[in-house]
Amino acid sequence: MIQVYTGNGKGKTTAAIGQAIRALGHNWKVLMIQFMKGDEYGEINTLKNISNITVKQFGLKTFVKKGEPKPEDIKLAREGWQLAKEAIAGRKYDMIILDELNCALDYGLLDIKEILPVLVSAPRDLEIIITGRYAPEELIKIADLVSEVKEIKHPLTKGVVNRIGIDY
Amino acid sequence: MIQVYTGNGKGKTTAAIGQAIRALGHNWKVLMIQFMKGDEYGEINTLKNISNITVKQFGLKTFVKKGEPKPEDIKLAREGWQLAKEAIAGRKYDMIILDELNCALDYGLLDIKEILPVLVSAPRDLEIIITGRYAPEELIKIADLVSEVKEIKHPLTKGVVNRIGIDY
């Protein structure tokens, strides 16, 4: 099945990680591919000590500029998607998380036309979890589960900066 | 700070767990208190092998009946809240997750009037994360961050039953 976590609120990537933690408790094998992220998030430290989960990052440490991605941004996103395709076909994992795939699409690093056929023909017993703002309509249409995480309140809008342990 | 994850969509408890995983990567100490849950969720298996996080459940294996909680349901919820109060005052943890506290309030197992003063006077550098549908307005008002997880699509509404690894 395909799960999508989108919306402008906090809790999309963490929901995917929590879902992985639940599945790992039942001995599932999990692959998490992070698009547009190259930084040491706290979760990376924790997850590397847990068996049966692999995390791979495909992003620079710098932010991608919307409308003006660097060739290296596009190259890394494509590498991430190549790994995703192989993993979906390879049947080695029970759950594959494509973290911030929606953002990579929104920023023009990847094309939904390339993504959709792969998702549509993925094995039904493989759990694919896709996160990120601005999930495209075509993706919502084919997904089995979609949650929109809406920001009701966020300290960032009150001027609080990103916090270690919480935002990264 | 106080984070609240509410709404009718999938991803609230998992977001809290993912947030814990992130914080643990920065050596935070985390306590997760689960209200109204007594069952072996997959996450319990995974989290018990991770250091610096403690999970305590305060619920029966049976569902609480809305409007007609059993005395044992109320007793367990109160024990959970007692532990929460002590933990908030005790400064032993950096993050305290009160999973399904909103439901325990909604089902009448606990009273928001008892909860609010404790949350309002909690140390600001303690991260308190509260999950569950129907967060009361009084709680949203005092929270620093509120995300509403909205169901856009869910396989349960199409007749798919709860799935191991995904829903528990």
Side-chain angles (χ1 to χ4, degrees):
Chain A
M1 291 215 185
I2 296 173
Q3 298 185 28
V4 174
Y5 294 90
T6 192
N8 65 346
K10 179 171 171 58
K12 300 178 292 293
T13 295
T14 47
I17 294 167
Q19 185 68 91
I21 293 296
R22 179 169 292 167
L24 288 163
H26 295 290
N27 297 313
W28 289 32
K29 298 209 178 344
V30 182
L31 171 67
M32 179 160 166
I33 294 174
Q34 295 194 306
F35 292 93
M36 296 173 62
K37 286 180 177 172
D39 258 339
E40 271 291 308
Y41 284 74
E43 57 264 36
I44 307 275
N45 289 333
T46 310
L47 296 175
K48 72 183 172 199
N49 295 318
I50 301 178
S51 47
N52 290 334
I53 181 164
T54 305
V55 183
K56 299 273 186 194
Q57 290 190 320
F58 292 90
L60 301 173
K61 280 184 203 291
T62 51
F63 283 111
V64 180
K65 221 168 154 187
K66 201 162 178 171
E68 301 170 47
K70 291 196 276 280
E72 184 68 6
D73 296 322
I74 295 173
K75 185 173 165 282
L76 283 166
R78 288 196 178 153
E79 282 173 22
W81 176 242
Q82 183 58 35
L83 175 63
K85 272 199 295 188
E86 287 165 18
I88 289 169
R91 313 225 53 159
K92 211 175 118 191
Y93 299 99
D94 305 298
M95 178 181 283
I96 297 174
I97 298 170
L98 305 173
D99 185 39
E100 308 295 2
L101 176 64
N102 294 335
C103 297
L105 290 164
D106 182 50
Y107 276 67
L109 305 183
L110 294 170
D111 186 344
I112 184 72
K113 288 191 205 75
E114 275 187 65
I115 308 294
L116 273 188
V118 176
L119 295 179
V120 166
S121 62
R124 289 290 293 171
D125 60 353
L126 170 67
E127 198 75 16
I128 298 175
I129 301 181
I130 296 168
T131 78
R133 289 181 185 217
Y134 309 123
E137 270 310 313
E138 302 97 303
L139 176 59
I140 288 174
K141 211 169 150 188
I142 63 150
D144 300 284
L145 183 153
V146 180
S147 286
E148 181 195 356
V149 184
K150 275 185 72 172
E151 178 182 310
I152 305 292
K153 251 186 186 182
H154 197 297
L156 278 180
T157 57
K158 286 198 260 166
V160 177
V161 294
N162 272 334
R163 294 181 295 148
I164 188 169
I166 300 300
D167 297 307
Y168 60 94
Chain B
M1 290 215 186
I2 296 173
Q3 299 185 27
V4 174
Y5 294 90
T6 192
N8 66 347
K10 179 172 171 58
K12 301 179 291 291
T13 295
T14 46
I17 295 167
Q19 185 69 91
I21 293 295
R22 179 170 291 167
L24 289 164
H26 295 291
N27 297 313
W28 289 33
K29 299 212 179 340
V30 182
L31 172 66
M32 179 160 167
I33 295 175
Q34 296 194 307
F35 293 93
M36 296 174 62
K37 286 181 178 173
D39 258 340
E40 271 290 308
Y41 284 73
E43 56 264 36
I44 307 275
N45 289 332
T46 310
L47 296 175
K48 72 183 172 199
N49 295 317
I50 301 179
S51 46
N52 289 335
I53 180 164
T54 305
V55 184
K56 299 273 185 196
Q57 289 190 321
F58 292 91
L60 303 173
K61 280 184 202 294
T62 52
F63 283 112
V64 180
K65 219 167 154 187
K66 202 162 177 172
E68 301 170 48
K70 291 196 275 283
E72 184 69 7
D73 294 323
I74 295 173
K75 186 174 165 279
L76 283 167
R78 288 197 178 152
E79 283 174 22
W81 176 242
Q82 184 57 35
L83 175 63
K85 272 199 295 189
E86 287 164 19
I88 288 168
R91 314 223 53 156
K92 211 177 119 191
Y93 299 99
D94 306 298
M95 177 181 286
I96 297 175
I97 298 170
L98 305 173
D99 186 37
E100 308 295 2
L101 176 64
N102 293 335
C103 296
L105 291 164
D106 182 49
Y107 275 68
L109 305 183
L110 295 169
D111 187 343
I112 184 72
K113 288 190 205 76
E114 276 187 65
I115 309 295
L116 275 187
V118 177
L119 295 178
V120 165
S121 62
R124 289 290 293 170
D125 59 354
L126 171 66
E127 198 76 15
I128 298 176
I129 301 181
I130 296 168
T131 76
R133 291 181 184 218
Y134 309 122
E137 270 309 313
E138 303 96 304
L139 177 59
I140 288 174
K141 210 168 150 189
I142 63 150
D144 300 284
L145 182 153
V146 180
S147 286
E148 182 196 356
V149 184
K150 276 185 69 171
E151 179 182 311
I152 305 293
K153 249 186 189 183
H154 197 297
L156 278 181
T157 57
K158 285 198 262 168
V160 178
V161 294
N162 272 333
R163 293 180 295 146
I164 190 170
I166 299 300
D167 297 307
Y168 60 94

